[in-house]
Amino acid sequence: MTTPIGDPRFPNDQAIEFVREFRVTVAPGYENRAKLETSPPLFLLRVPRASYRSGVDGVVAALAGALRQRVPFAHLPAGTGEEADARLLSISAGTQLHRSTPQHMTPDRLPRYHVMCDLVEYIRSNPQEWATTADQEAGLRTHAGERRAHRGGPLAFTRMEGPSLDGLAGFLAGLSWLSFVQLLPRWLWARRISRKVMRGWLGAEPVAQGSGSLFRVMDRVAAERSVQLMDDPAHEEALQEFDWLVLRALLEDLRRPAIGRILPGRRRRTSRPVLFVEVPPPGEPGARAAERFLRSLHRAQATAGPPGPLVIAVGVPSEELLRDLGGPVESTFPEASVRLADHTVPGGPPVLVTVSEAALAAGGVPVLPVRPRTFRFGRHVPTAIVGGMAVLALLAGGLLLPPVLFPPSRDCLGGTGSVADSAPKEPVPVQANAWYEAAVKTIEDQNARAESYARQGRTVRTAVAFVSDPPKTDDETRFDGTIPELRGIAMWQQKLNREAAADDSLIPLRVEVREAGIAFRDAEKEAKRLVAELKDEKSGPASERVVGVLGYAQSRNETQAALRVLGEAGIPTIGTTATADEMLTGPAARTYWPSTPVNSREARIEADFASTKNIVAEPGSEDRCTPAGHAIVIESSADLYSDSLARRFVAEFDGTHQVFDFNQEGEFGSAPLAGAVSQPNAALLARELCEALEDQPDSVVYWSARAKDFTALINSMDTAGTCTSRDVTVLGGNELTNVAQTGAFAEKDWLRLYYSAHRLPDDDPKASDRTVQFVDEYDAYVEVTTGGRDPWRQDGHSAVSYDAFHVLSEAVREAGLTDPAVERKSVRLVLGAGIAFDGATGYVSYDGANAPPHDKTLVLLRQSGTRPEAVLVCGAYRQGESSEDQGPPCAD
């Protein structure tokens, strides 16, 4: 294999090893194509400014000449003229790669790139659309569908004209054609591509803000960038974001299909795409576009998974660009060849090599043509052959051995990912004092607003919110639900008092936030203090008369005792996330209305879920799962919530079980579950748990203890590493929402976590408009009142307290219609008669009994990084729905 004497040659600056590794990196031997599964770093080849044009031409021509018509590559020249800096090189890169792929090889389709490219170009061409109409989501969807149909393929038929008939028959034929031949296929395509993009990568990016729709995200981006684009079509900040969006979509397309195995698409990935980027000296035409592209690449590589393209930038990068790329240390070509051969760290620092004037002037090194394996037929031919043979084999075997050929599904419910997938590298930072004070400040401001109503002669009353002492440290904040709960209370008070300005039937409410000690240690004492104060309340202002109590987010002996005190005094109380059935005992059974399903219902659903759904990884396989045949139950017997939930789960679970009684403070109850092994040490418990998992591989770890203890155990298991070589499945209660969504388990790639919650994620297809509206209001509230990234956006605590306060305020309003004094007795009567509305957590319907809302929604989530996914939804999430119609494990 030789190169003609006149062919371009690579600068000879000890570059022979680099050129050799370049060829192997781009097109390894067919038997070694697994090397294509990696992501090479960015290579910056810096040439002298005085020799910029000749140096770039020589380097790119030598390397590109070895690839031509054999490997998909893109050459991104600097361009000329005023428009050079306004170009998005990511669009050019995708276009060239799509056109240069050799016949019958992969990747040959770029669906995510094409739709993102269409959306970005539409936004850049029509920024004025968002100046006149805020919501252009439907317009973006329509434009993307039209562009997809224009490119051909399955949607091309939607461009056909309908039948031409007269009269009623023509109208009906035209309507049917429009609906089923044009609109429906495009709507289905838009829904599918949106799902691909959002679940593939965009949903985990901050720009998505938790949205589940590609077109909604891009509509928000356009609304934010339209003003910049109308002022300056080449606004650098806007172009930088658009460039990154298109390039990130392109990198996602280049990941698929996977490499190797028997599928034709996989076996035909025999070479790696290459991008050559010309980088003009600073200030020259095209320099901004090239450096913008490299910044986008640096950002995109941080989250894009392998395999990735080989990107070689040649030119005169500015010092500012090098600084933005992480300040790469200058290397020689021999050192760069090592980085080419060992590119196992995606998103690593770039490789900077300076090409000397002498090397450019010398004869140079020939770059031999690469010879990847090619294919004579398209993938459809072997696919059809293999598919036909498979169908015949299945038909023949299906008549003889149906149980063998069609075994029960072993797909893992919710996928095979762990809590580390898509998670941030570090836990989401929290600001305990600032966030707590921000919520309290909102409540104080609303109290002042309510007092102003009282001075105008309006009826105003007071609700008392009992919360635990505010967390003092970041870790305590992650283990505690106080802040999101207070936010929900503040949000409903703000909504209520604002709407009261126009609605005279509403009764504005003050809120007294009373702290009841760490973990509610002082709950009973504070309840007694409130009862004592209420004996003299009529001597004070009417606005300070208490109509009810909110709170008690935890089921503890202390909160149970506090509810009895309030019950004896006849004070109506709306619970938030306390779930133990035992909270409804004694006098509390007459005055306490929980907001969430009780433990007996949750445990029954979770026990059925664990024993019937594929949630435990089979030994030796991470992508095949089976129901749990054994449960390792970890409780804290001294904790009312934990002991209550664990007992009921054990009673309902069909398989075998063993129990550990875990409490780091060494506090154990007098009557733990039968056979429970008490353990106060997380490291020792981790060792015993690993031994149990070794003995019973089909085990689910059922967790009913508190979040702090859970974190200690998980960290101890990860440190020991004795049973983390295979995935461990944990199923727990809603206590784990406090910490699971903060990214605290970012590196635990062996942990599969399911847990209960009380509302659907807003990006779930089943999420109601009311839930989505609440999340939007929550986002707006957090953005206005606090700084930093919020870890509880999908947590249910805020939604539960929001709905709980809604219940109390509605009862107060109805009581005021017949009792101008709005006595607590009247509020209890209204609650006893029943209240119903569509809430943030789903349909809320109290039928008069002191019990949770009838058939209240219970959600089981699977945590993946910071993105929970609903795998089970039980109950009347919408009016008219029923657990009985949903079947097991929802139905009794």
Side-chain angles (χ1 to χ4, degrees):
M1 184 187 303
T2 60
T3 58
I5 295 177
D7 279 7
R9 295 174 180 255
F10 193 82
N12 188 7
D13 202 350
Q14 296 181 308
I16 290 180
E17 289 299 326
F18 179 81
V19 169
R20 289 173 179 170
E21 289 298 340
F22 169 79
R23 297 178 63 252
V24 173
T25 299
V26 172
Y30 187 66
E31 66 280 359
N32 296 321
R33 64 187 182 280
K35 291 182 178 181
L36 297 174
E37 294 181 336
T38 57
S39 295
L42 165 65
F43 285 83
L44 290 168
L45 306 186
R46 181 164 54 187
V47 301
R49 181 163 187 155
S51 306
Y52 162 70
R53 188 69 267 162
S54 61
V56 168
D57 289 345
V59 170
V60 174
L63 297 179
L67 309 180
R68 202 170 304 279
Q69 298 181 352
R70 304 176 185 90
V71 172
F73 76 94
H75 175 202
L76 308 179
T80 58
E82 297 179 356
E83 301 299 323
D85 284 321
R87 294 184 306 147
L88 297 183
L89 295 189
S90 57
I91 293 179
S92 300
T95 301
Q96 292 188 44
L97 288 180
H98 183 61
R99 293 174 178 172
S100 67
T101 301
Q103 192 175 20
H104 307 322
M105 292 174 64
T106 57
D108 57 2
R109 291 172 294 180
L110 305 172
R112 297 162 185 81
Y113 158 78
H114 281 303
V115 71
M116 188 62 73
C117 185
D118 292 339
L119 295 175
V120 164
E121 289 186 325
Y122 180 78
I123 293 169
R124 291 189 65 192
S125 301
N126 304 278
Q128 69 281 355
E129 296 291 336
W130 282 267
T132 56
T133 306
D135 186 1
Q136 293 290 333
E137 181 180 346
L140 289 173
R141 187 184 299 109
T142 300
H143 173 75
E146 290 175 350
R147 293 298 304 156
R148 180 64 187 87
H150 181 75
R151 286 193 296 272
L155 283 189
F157 74 91
T158 64
R159 305 180 68 212
M160 297 170 56
E161 295 185 1
S164 179
L165 300 174
D166 296 328
L168 179 60
F171 170 76
L172 294 177
L175 181 62
S176 300
W177 184 272
L178 176 67
S179 300
F180 297 105
V181 178
Q182 294 183 339
L183 297 182
L184 180 60
R186 292 188 184 184
W187 180 84
L188 292 173
W189 170 84
R191 182 179 178 86
R192 182 170 177 266
I193 193 66
S194 174
R195 207 172 191 182
K196 276 187 176 182
V197 174
M198 296 305 296
R199 293 190 174 184
W201 64 276
L202 187 56
E205 297 288 347
V207 69
Q209 300 178 18
S211 175
S213 168
L214 164 65
F215 304 101
R216 189 179 308 159
V217 171
M218 295 304 294
D219 179 48
R220 285 203 297 250
V221 170
E224 294 164 351
R225 299 297 185 186
S226 59
V227 176
Q228 296 172 332
L229 293 175
M230 286 190 291
D231 291 341
D232 178 11
H235 192 283
E236 186 59 32
E237 183 182 340
L239 294 186
Q240 185 70 71
E241 181 164 56
F242 290 144
D243 198 51
W244 167 74
L245 285 168
V246 175
L247 181 58
R248 185 61 182 81
L250 176 62
L251 293 184
E252 194 67 21
D253 281 328
L254 295 180
R255 290 182 60 191
R256 307 175 191 283
I259 295 164
R261 301 186 182 175
I262 64 172
L263 295 181
R266 294 183 173 190
R267 300 184 65 82
R268 287 160 187 256
R269 186 188 286 272
T270 59
S271 63
R272 181 191 308 278
V274 183
L275 305 179
F276 298 107
V277 186
E278 294 186 10
V279 185
E284 293 194 8
R288 282 174 50 197
E291 296 199 351
R292 181 190 310 127
F293 177 83
L294 296 180
R295 289 187 179 95
S296 298
L297 178 70
H298 184 65
R299 177 184 175 187
Q301 284 182 328
T303 57
L310 173 60
V311 182
I312 298 180
V314 189
V316 188
S318 66
E319 292 301 321
E320 182 182 3
L321 173 64
L322 296 178
R323 187 168 53 252
D324 292 343
L325 298 182
V329 178
E330 189 160 337
S331 306
T332 63
F333 274 115
E335 292 170 335
S337 67
V338 175
R339 293 293 302 277
L340 265 175
D342 184 21
H343 38 72
T344 57
V345 182
V351 179
L352 174 65
V353 181
T354 297
V355 183
S356 66
E357 284 277 12
L360 292 174
V365 178
V367 184
L368 302 180
V370 296
R371 299 292 186 188
R373 181 169 178 175
T374 58
F375 300 88
R376 180 173 298 179
F377 301 105
R379 72 173 70 182
H380 304 291
V381 174
T383 299
I385 294 173
V386 172
M389 293 176 63
V391 169
L392 292 175
L394 288 174
L395 289 175
L399 299 175
L400 303 174
L401 301 170
V404 175
L405 294 178
F406 303 102
S409 172
R410 285 293 181 259
D411 292 340
C412 300
L413 183 62
T416 60
S418 70
V419 295
D421 291 356
S422 304
K425 294 182 179 178
E426 297 292 338
V428 177
V430 296
Q431 302 174 27
N433 293 333
W435 292 356
Y436 181 86
E437 293 299 332
V440 172
K441 176 66 166 52
T442 302
I443 292 173
E444 291 173 347
D445 292 344
Q446 290 305 310
N447 287 346
R449 186 172 190 172
E451 292 290 357
S452 69
Y453 282 129
R455 289 192 292 272
Q456 297 169 18
R458 293 279 297 272
T459 300
V460 175
R461 292 294 182 266
T462 295
V464 174
F466 280 115
V467 298
S468 62
D469 280 4
K472 297 296 190 296
T473 67
D474 289 359
D475 286 334
E476 287 180 2
T477 304
R478 294 187 182 97
F479 304 142
D480 189 272
T482 300
I483 291 174
E485 180 165 323
L486 272 181
R487 285 175 174 173
I489 292 172
M491 287 172 60
W492 182 258
Q493 185 188 21
Q494 194 174 51
K495 178 180 177 67
L496 171 69
N497 290 349
R498 180 178 64 247
E499 294 180 353
D503 190 344
D504 292 338
S505 70
L506 296 176
I507 297 179
L509 292 174
R510 298 173 63 256
V511 175
E512 288 186 16
V513 178
R514 299 199 178 191
E515 296 169 4
I518 298 174
F520 291 98
R521 299 282 172 82
D522 302 325
E524 184 177 10
K525 181 177 72 174
E526 290 299 319
K528 290 179 178 178
R529 184 165 75 89
L530 174 63
V531 171
E533 292 173 0
L534 295 187
K535 293 180 180 178
D536 301 323
E537 69 174 345
K538 291 192 177 180
S539 60
S543 63
E544 296 182 4
R545 295 177 187 172
V546 175
V547 289
V549 166
L550 294 166
Y552 297 131
Q554 297 178 5
S555 304
R556 296 183 180 271
N557 294 327
E558 295 85 354
T559 53
Q560 182 189 42
L563 284 178
R564 290 173 179 168
V565 171
L566 298 176
E568 290 171 352
I571 301 174
T573 303
I574 310 299
T576 50
T577 52
T579 57
D581 298 64
E582 291 80 359
M583 299 288 279
L584 275 163
T585 56
R590 300 189 298 273
T591 61
Y592 175 57
W593 282 265
S595 292
T596 51
V598 289
N599 283 351
S600 55
R601 180 165 180 249
E602 177 178 331
R604 178 189 57 76
I605 291 173
E606 289 176 341
D608 196 346
F609 174 84
S611 59
T612 59
K613 302 298 182 182
N614 294 336
I615 63 173
V616 178
E618 290 185 353
S621 173
E622 292 190 356
D623 57 0
R624 291 169 58 86
C625 292
T626 183
H630 183 76
I632 303 173
V633 180
I634 301 179
E635 69 152 348
S636 181
S637 60
D639 187 310
L640 178 63
Y641 157 80
S642 175
D643 190 59
S644 167
L645 188 61
R647 287 182 183 278
R648 287 172 167 80
F649 179 86
V650 167
E652 297 284 351
F653 185 65
D654 288 339
T656 57
H657 70 271
Q658 63 189 111
V659 182
F660 291 99
D661 190 0
F662 179 45
N663 186 287
Q664 294 186 90
E665 283 72 39
E667 299 176 359
F668 300 106
S670 58
L673 281 167
V677 177
S678 298
Q679 181 55 264
N681 185 283
L684 294 179
L685 177 61
R687 181 188 305 171
E688 294 172 344
L689 177 58
C690 285
E691 292 174 355
L693 289 169
E694 187 69 25
D695 293 338
Q696 298 277 1
D698 62 341
S699 295
V700 61
V701 178
Y702 185 75
W703 184 270
S704 73
R706 296 293 174 180
K708 177 183 177 182
D709 292 335
F710 180 71
T711 305
L713 174 64
I714 295 303
N715 289 337
S716 294
M717 292 179 67
D718 195 63
T719 300
T722 55
C723 62
T724 57
S725 58
R726 55 163 292 188
D727 286 1
V728 176
T729 299
V730 175
L731 172 62
N734 72 90
E735 170 76 10
L736 297 185
T737 63
N738 297 343
V739 67
Q741 295 175 14
T742 65
F745 309 127
E747 299 177 354
K748 311 303 185 290
D749 57 5
W750 49 268
L751 175 61
R752 300 187 184 186
L753 179 60
Y754 300 84
Y755 58 93
S756 66
H758 301 299
R759 79 159 173 84
L760 278 169
D762 70 311
D763 57 356
D764 190 279
K766 302 186 195 70
S768 67
D769 292 341
R770 189 69 190 89
T771 294
V772 174
Q773 178 185 345
F774 167 79
V775 177
D776 290 341
E777 293 172 0
Y778 178 85
D779 289 343
Y781 174 80
V782 171
E783 183 177 357
V784 170
T785 61
T786 57
R789 180 180 171 188
D790 178 63
W792 301 296
R793 188 173 183 276
Q794 300 291 13
D795 180 77
H797 284 75
S798 55
V800 170
S801 60
Y802 183 88
D803 281 352
F805 201 179
H806 187 173
V807 171
L808 181 59
S809 67
E810 184 66 16
V812 171
R813 184 191 70 81
E814 293 188 22
L817 297 177
T818 56
D819 176 16
V822 197
E823 300 286 347
R824 287 187 293 276
K825 179 179 179 181
S826 301
V827 175
R828 289 201 314 272
L829 291 174
V830 172
L831 289 169
I835 286 178
F837 58 84
D838 187 17
T841 59
Y843 190 60
V844 177
S845 175
Y846 288 95
D847 55 11
N850 290 87
H854 177 70
D855 205 10
K856 187 68 179 70
T857 305
L858 180 75
V859 180
L860 289 187
L861 300 178
R862 193 185 195 284
Q863 187 68 29
S864 177
T866 56
R867 295 181 61 199
E869 177 185 354
V871 294
L872 182 70
V873 182
C874 291
Y877 183 66
R878 290 180 173 81
Q879 185 176 6
E881 293 182 353
S882 170
S883 293
E884 295 303 319
D885 297 332
Q886 293 162 354
C890 298
D892 290 330

